[in-house]
Amino acid sequence: MTSLMQKIKEVLPQLSDAEGRIGEYVLENPEAVPHMTIKELSEKSSVSEATIIRFCKSIGIGSFKSFKLALMKDLTLTDSNLTDFSALTKKDSPYDLFHKIIHVNKSAIESCADSMDRKELAKAVEAIQHAGKIVFFGVGGSSTAAVDAQYKFTKLGYHSITSLDFHYMLSVIPHLTEKDVFVAISTSGKTKDVLELTRFAQKKGATAIAITTLSKSPLYKEADIRLCTPNVEQDFRIGSIPSRMTQLTVIDTLYMSIFQQIGEKVLQQYYDARSEMENLRR
Amino acid sequence: MTSLMQKIKEVLPQLSDAEGRIGEYVLENPEAVPHMTIKELSEKSSVSEATIIRFCKSIGIGSFKSFKLALMKDLTLTDSNLTDFSALTKKDSPYDLFHKIIHVNKSAIESCADSMDRKELAKAVEAIQHAGKIVFFGVGGSSTAAVDAQYKFTKLGYHSITSLDFHYMLSVIPHLTEKDVFVAISTSGKTKDVLELTRFAQKKGATAIAITTLSKSPLYKEADIRLCTPNVEQDFRIGSIPSRMTQLTVIDTLYMSIFQQIGEKVLQQYYDARSEMENLRR
DNA sequence: TAAATAATGAATTTTAATTTCATAACTCTC
DNA sequence: GAGAGTTATGAAATTAAAATTCATTATTTA
């Protein structure tokens, strides 16, 4: 049996006007449909509720509920689908947006695999593992990743620093040496503040690791080690949402890799922290 | 990520008498359940319909419909998708870890759909839309989401506040009123600092929105609005990695929903910000 | 051009999901 | 071991969703 989506594609030309619109909507937003009600789907595809039922019968399924179940099954089998976020419409409810965001974030994380270079990653882990201080810097949407990273590496026992304040960073960097690592986070690779601090850190001898998209940006060119994030669609409406997810995935990888290497050494401190937390009942 | 069936097996011993019977029936007849109605399942497992709903919540899923969809997905999943994170081995290279993290993060985001309640989401958006101040608070791994949210809502023109400092927050909350919103972020729903500040904010009349897992935690019980994240596997090695992704997905949804509502009003400011940034060449 | 046919949506009915509320059973004090 | 609190539960009521009916409009055919 061919998949349900396949089946819809096949019968699409034979369908009537209204039913055809349903078919198109389903093919474009397969992830969202299983969570929708008839009413919602009817509004999205501008048809009546009755037509939805008729559509289900047209493609050989007895009820709308069965259709949703069948579609869900289909999706888990085929997996890769393209829901375009630009299909955002005025009438999207928060719940619709929720499902679109789930999809966009999932896709972004998935495509991380395409842009990462294993050798660069290995170099980054090596550099961090032997680092004295680790400084993270990102502005705007990229600051989230910097803050997250700072917390994670502190938990691992590192002297880990970040700040949103350019001037604060200016006072941190002079103390860096060849043993230290500066992690610059910038999606575009062109952010002036990030670039300037990166160059400053390199001048002090620190290793500069860039978490940025694979492009001809200054940051990409100048960094010592490049951890590339995929070029996820940049749309002002979604802003930095998906690119932040990719940055965090890279941070997670660095964290887990270091944990893997030095895990044994910090386990005791982990347990200490946890039991003390229980004592303090936090 | 453990499968839904696995999850049911695990919690079975903790379930009450009636809920336990449901669990057993589901495990014995997993294929049948997605096509059943609540009434049918309640008859088959000799419990009331209300108990079925309670069972769904007990295993961390927001509604019976989501439960059926999740079960359907579970049944069609092949073993290939079960890259269990517990299969972490000593010899995993950073690149191996990278792929495992991609998988864990993707699964976490995917399962967000199961625990979210559309009505609660609508209530949250409504509350935030009309809010004066918005205060975000999370500690430990949840602070990342708080920081991210604070930034996003500031961009939307809100008076948006967060801090890691409990004492600072103590000085912020007295100024909250009925018009304001306090967003508490805690995976477990038991974090004392978060609970205390939430209660304080409620005492001042603010609406308390909880971003937490669906469970019988104090935060879940006491919040005015609950945005539930899925119960992703908690393993000390991966720490808060996947749960942070789910929290961020919820934040993204709130941000996009508000943007959708008030977007027109802030677009000019967005453009202003961008062109000024170009002037300053940042 | 009129009758037959097909497509469609508004309104209604039926069915299912969810919530509320009352009650029974079970714990924990004092 | 009496009473206060808590938990577990199902019956009943409410709300939401799905399915059907029926009237209307467009389209085809004789």
Side-chain angles (χ1 to χ4, degrees), chain A residues 108-109 111-112 211 229-230 232 241-251, chain B residues 245:
Chain A
I109 289 173
S111 59
C112 280
I211 299 181
T229 53
V232 289
I241 288 176
S243 70
R244 184 204 47 191
M245 289 292 183
T246 64
Q247 292 166 351
L248 288 170
T249 298
V250 173
I251 299 292
Chain B
M245 288 294 184

Coordinates of all heavy atoms in Angstrom, one line a residue, chain A residues 108-109 111-112 211 229-230 232 241-251, chain B residues 245:
Chain A
A108 N 15.3 22.5 11.9 CA 16.6 23.2 12.1 C 17.6 22.3 12.7 O 18.8 22.2 12.3 CB 16.4 24.5 12.9
I109 N 17.2 21.6 13.8 CA 18.1 20.7 14.5 C 18.6 19.6 13.6 O 19.7 19.2 13.6 CB 17.4 20.2 15.8 CG1 17.3 21.3 16.8 CG2 18.2 19.0 16.3 CD1 16.5 21.0 18.0
S111 N 18.9 19.7 10.4 CA 19.9 20.1 9.4 C 21.2 20.5 10.0 O 22.2 20.7 9.2 CB 19.3 21.2 8.5 OG 19.0 22.3 9.3
C112 N 21.3 20.5 11.3 CA 22.7 20.7 11.9 C 23.7 19.7 11.4 O 24.9 20.0 11.2 CB 22.6 20.5 13.4 SG 21.9 21.9 14.3
I211 N 31.0 29.8 16.3 CA 29.7 29.1 16.0 C 28.9 30.0 15.1 O 28.4 31.0 15.5 CB 29.0 28.8 17.3 CG1 29.8 27.9 18.2 CG2 27.7 28.1 17.0 CD1 29.2 27.5 19.5
T229 N 26.8 26.2 11.7 CA 25.4 25.9 11.9 C 24.8 26.0 10.5 O 25.3 26.7 9.6 CB 24.7 26.9 12.8 OG1 25.1 28.2 12.4 CG2 25.2 26.7 14.2
P230 N 23.7 25.3 10.2 CA 23.1 25.4 8.9 C 22.4 26.8 8.6 O 22.1 27.5 9.6 CB 22.0 24.3 9.0 CG 21.7 24.1 10.4 CD 22.9 24.5 11.1
V232 N 19.5 28.2 8.2 CA 18.1 28.1 8.3 C 17.5 29.4 7.8 O 18.0 30.4 7.8 CB 17.6 27.8 9.7 CG1 18.1 26.4 10.1 CG2 18.2 28.8 10.7
I241 N 14.7 32.3 15.9 CA 14.2 31.1 16.6 C 14.9 29.9 16.2 O 15.5 29.2 17.0 CB 12.7 31.0 16.4 CG1 12.0 32.1 17.3 CG2 12.2 29.6 16.8 CD1 10.5 32.1 17.2
P242 N 14.9 29.5 14.9 CA 15.5 28.3 14.5 C 17.1 28.3 14.7 O 17.7 27.3 15.0 CB 15.1 28.0 13.1 CG 14.6 29.3 12.6 CD 14.2 30.1 13.7
S243 N 17.7 29.5 14.4 CA 19.1 29.5 14.4 C 19.6 29.3 15.9 O 20.7 28.7 16.1 CB 19.7 30.7 13.8 OG 19.4 31.9 14.5
R244 N 18.8 29.8 16.8 CA 19.2 29.7 18.2 C 19.2 28.2 18.6 O 20.1 27.7 19.3 CB 18.2 30.4 19.1 CG 18.5 30.4 20.5 CD 17.3 30.6 21.3 NE 16.2 29.7 20.7 CZ 15.0 29.8 21.0 NH1 14.5 30.8 21.8 NH2 14.1 29.0 20.5
M245 N 18.3 27.4 18.0 CA 18.2 26.0 18.3 C 19.5 25.3 17.8 O 20.0 24.4 18.4 CB 17.0 25.4 17.7 CG 15.7 25.8 18.3 SD 15.6 25.1 20.0 CE 14.0 25.6 20.5
T246 N 19.9 25.7 16.6 CA 21.1 25.1 16.1 C 22.4 25.4 16.9 O 23.2 24.6 17.2 CB 21.4 25.5 14.6 OG1 21.6 26.9 14.5 CG2 20.2 25.2 13.7
Q247 N 22.4 26.7 17.4 CA 23.5 27.0 18.2 C 23.6 26.2 19.5 O 24.6 25.8 19.9 CB 23.5 28.5 18.6 CG 23.7 29.4 17.4 CD 23.3 30.9 17.6 OE1 22.7 31.2 18.7 NE2 23.6 31.8 16.7
L248 N 22.4 26.1 20.1 CA 22.3 25.3 21.3 C 22.7 23.9 21.1 O 23.3 23.2 22.0 CB 20.9 25.4 21.9 CG 20.6 26.8 22.5 CD1 19.1 26.9 22.8 CD2 21.4 27.1 23.8
T249 N 22.3 23.3 20.0 CA 22.7 22.0 19.7 C 24.2 21.8 19.6 O 24.8 20.8 20.1 CB 22.0 21.5 18.4 OG1 20.6 21.6 18.6 CG2 22.4 20.1 18.0
V250 N 24.9 22.8 19.1 CA 26.3 22.8 19.0 C 26.9 22.9 20.5 O 27.8 22.1 20.8 CB 26.9 23.9 18.1 CG1 28.4 24.0 18.2 CG2 26.4 23.7 16.7
I251 N 26.3 23.8 21.2 CA 26.8 23.9 22.6 C 26.6 22.6 23.4 O 27.5 22.1 24.1 CB 26.0 25.0 23.3 CG1 26.2 26.4 22.7 CG2 26.3 25.1 24.8 CD1 27.6 26.9 22.8
Chain B
M245 N 15.1 22.5 25.6 CA 14.6 22.6 24.2 C 13.1 22.8 24.2 O 12.5 23.5 23.4 CB 15.0 21.5 23.3 CG 16.5 21.5 23.0 SD 16.9 22.9 21.9 CE 18.6 22.6 21.6

